[in-house]
Amino acid sequence: MTLLEISGLTLDLPGGERLLHGIDLSVNEGETVALVGESGSGKSLTAQSILGLLPARSVVTGTVLVDGHNVPTMSSKELLGLRRSTAAMVFQDPRAGINPMRTIGDHLTEALRLGEGWSAGRARERAIEMLAAVQMPRPEEHLRQYPHELSGGMLQRVMIAGALVGSPRLLVCDEPTTALDVTTQAQILQVLIEQRQARSMGMLFITHDLNLAASLCERVYVMRDGRVEEEGSARQIFRHPATAYTRRLVAATPTIEITGDEPRASTELVRQPVLQVRDLAKTYPGRGRESVRALANVTLEIAAGEALGIVGESGSGKSTLARMIVGLELPDFGKVIIDDQERHGRPRRRADRLDRARKVQMVFQDPYLSLDPRMTAGEAVEDALRLHHPELRRPDICSRALTLLDNVGLASTQAEALPRTLSGGQRQRVAIARALAIEPSLLVMDEATSALDVSVQAQVLEVISEIRRERGLTLLFISHDLAVVRTVCERSVVMREGEVVESATTADLLTNPQHEYTRLLIDSVPRAAAIA
Amino acid sequence: MSRPTPTLAIKVLRSSRRRRVNASWMISIIVLAAITLAAIFAPLVAPYDPDHIDFTAIYANPGWAHWLGADALGRDTLSRMIYGARTALLAPLVVVIASTFLGVVLGLVAGWRGGWLDAVIGRLLDVLLAFPALLIAIMAVALFGKGLVAPVIAMSIAYAPFVARLTRSLVASERARPYVAAYRVQGFAGGWIALRRVLPNVAPTVGAQSTLNFGYVLAELAGLSFLGLGVQAPTADWGAMINESQAGIVGGYFLPAIIPAVAVVIVVVAVNVIGEEVSDRIGGGTPT
């Protein structure tokens, strides 16, 4: 039976801009349907229309039938009933979705006590039952806890439990695992699958991750610019995409399957190491709490022209390591040696500062924050050139900056653009050009592509591999995403809780992992290939 | 683990706050510009010498000869208003510039360096904030004598903490941003980053706050002159004019006192409207 039937849904802003252009979508009982798209494709808006959460004063046409009732024409009282018992939603960020001042118990029982008029005891029993259903270890204890006492993954389970208390027949999940680590994501997905089967709910799963959609869902809708681009079974979309856009999207989505296109470790004789990290350790003293060990005895080495991947989940110390290598933080113990020169403390003199900058440069995670908002793309690169080449004259600096921007695929007209007028991918290219302007011996990229859409990520990765081919750049590539690391790095290191647990060539690491944590990491990655 | 990026859904929520063309803003700018121009070109604009005593025009009613009437000594109120605008606008302007400079220096040092320096400057500002600006100005007059110079210096110091606190918090939050770390990694010196890159980024918000200070300073300096501690007779000044005209109120001659009072209110309101709007447009809202 059809649970959700959206047909011809359009949405216009009060200003007249059209954001959704006639969406047709359906979800049957007990079925899991994925809504896939890049940012700005309108997938979240479509999801919000199902629960009547659309922005005020927007103009909606078409129908959104949930269990036979049309949502856009509902009164607020009918909407309340819909949200209480028929459809529920799980959001991306569980911390934003739960009142931080109330306990988990309040969160779960409130709707039952106030909405359904249940007694406190009965609601409590139901809450405990739900927490047990989402695999929370100590349901009774959790009821008394506050959101800040739980990790992101635990909170997301609480959110799911909260969505399920009203026994909804349709569950809408908007990127429920995007903010989570891959191992946590695997657990959350397990919970969702179990609950769907136990309740024969319909589930609409919104994600930007094609692999995830394919591994979880029976049918997939691909959205782009407010339109449904393609619809079909997960297998069909992944193996035989019909439209050019879906084909590009599938091609751009990195997988952890060994396909033979990964960079090979060079067979040349032992090359000079560019970076040597020896027994690096750092502990942050906890104020009134336990101190946090960020790094413990980390030792690694990168040879000239090599790309080393560092893989780990949040809290593994990989970013701390990057910040120490570029000198933004000082280690408690251990050495960082770049080009046979050891680093000591903070540079005092100008010559030291410039010398250090020429040894190593960094591309930061968030291109929205790592560019000075007031400096144009060209100025950002020129700044770096002027500092390191005071002998160059203005026109030379300008032309060099344009060449650098051109190398990363930016047109000369974009040199005058401020960061806020550039897209995420363009910004990250500016950041790369800025780092390359200094011609460093080593480039550190800290989650440099994780904030980008897959197709943009593919372009940025392409830029990086081109530059590596042309200049023989030595690269330290930090990422949580094994699939991306596979396409970039010859060798990889897996980190957990500040320690290196395994180090091998990337291909070996993926096909023959030695450490149990590496195995867990690899098994947690959703795979499209798993679908028959 | 990627952060949520601004998606279509968020843009929709933001776009519902459409900006209207703001009439009060336009009017404020026109009024302030007119008064400023009149003050600058006072000798050309004013119909009379502001100190010219005309016994035939004592408490003259508004008319063709005296547009806004005349005071107890028959001096033309309009001319005195125009000349009075010079001290009324110039003195607060000096205070705003001086207090902004002082506050930005203190705030930048405290916010950028942090640590003990931040703590020391923070306590110093707390002490200064405990005294009302007017009180500090009166103390300065008591120590250094009447006139505008002592109060202007005192007010510059008294208003610096407001600017300094805002600058400090803005700089401290900018300092934690990745773009500052990126400059460091590129090899730029800390002082250069603070002065050439961070300061311009916080300047608009600080400037908006300083603009708002202008109105308060103007009102307080006028109050000082009213008390007879600021601008001294016979120089034309709005505050002093209200003071001089008090006697007339008993006799039923309200205009010479009311006109400068209304002028003070109009300018203060106009400046605040402009300041609020500017800080709104920058996106920081009204800093508190």
Side-chain angles (χ1 to χ4, degrees), chain A residues 55 57 366 372 374 383 388, chain B residues 2-3 12 16 186 197 201:
Chain A
R57 291 187 289 129
D366 192 336
D372 189 333
R374 217 172 35 84
D383 259 358
H388 286 270
Chain B
S2 57
R3 280 167 8 92
V12 175
S16 63
Q186 286 173 68
R197 291 297 178 257
N201 283 348

Side-chain angles (χ1 to χ4, degrees), chain A residues 495-529:
Chain A
M495 284 186 73
R496 184 183 60 170
E497 287 166 15
E499 286 178 79
V500 171
V501 300
E502 188 166 354
S503 167
T505 65
T506 310
D508 283 351
L509 203 69
L510 289 173
T511 50
N512 186 20
Q514 298 301 311
H515 196 278
E516 57 174 320
Y517 178 69
T518 315
R519 276 198 287 274
L520 174 67
L521 218 50
I522 292 171
D523 289 342
S524 302
V525 176
R527 283 174 221 226

Side-chain angles (χ1 to χ4, degrees), chain A residues 41 45 76 180 221 437 460 464 481 491 497 499:
Chain A
S41 63
L45 273 181
S76 49
L180 305 176
Y221 288 84
V460 171
I464 293 166
D481 190 340
R491 271 195 322 122
E497 287 166 15
E499 286 178 79

Side-chain angles (χ1 to χ4, degrees), chain B residues 250-276:
Chain B
V250 185
Y253 302 108
F254 292 101
L255 273 187
I258 284 177
I259 288 169
V262 169
V264 169
V265 171
I266 288 175
V267 171
V268 170
V269 168
V271 170
N272 281 8
V273 165
I274 292 172
E276 296 271 2

Side-chain angles (χ1 to χ4, degrees), chain A residues 13 19 40 55 57 178 181 314 353 357 361 364 366 369-372 374-375 383-384 387-388 434 447 450 480, chain B residues 1-5 8-9 12 15-16 18 177-179 181-183 185-189 192 196-197 200-201:
Chain A
L13 285 187
L19 295 178
R57 291 187 289 129
T178 306
D181 279 326
S314 47
R353 251 185 2 243
Q361 279 300 307
F364 292 80
D366 192 336
L369 298 176
S370 65
L371 294 179
D372 189 333
R374 217 172 35 84
M375 294 284 129
D383 259 358
L387 178 71
H388 286 270
R434 181 177 66 176
E447 297 275 12
S450 14
H480 68 284
Chain B
M1 289 185 302
S2 57
R3 280 167 8 92
T5 46
L8 209 54
V12 175
S15 71
S16 63
R18 278 275 152 99
R177 288 182 175 238
Y179 82 84
Y183 278 130
V185 171
Q186 286 173 68
F188 287 104
W192 184 91
R196 300 290 300 278
R197 291 297 178 257
N201 283 348

Side-chain angles (χ1 to χ4, degrees), chain B residues 142-175:
Chain B
L143 285 174
F144 303 108
K146 295 174 178 181
L148 260 189
V149 178
V152 162
I153 294 173
M155 298 275 260
S156 302
I157 295 170
Y159 271 88
F162 296 101
V163 181
R165 278 204 160 176
L166 178 67
T167 311
R168 186 205 155 275
S169 66
L170 289 172
V171 168
S173 79
E174 289 294 300
R175 190 175 63 134

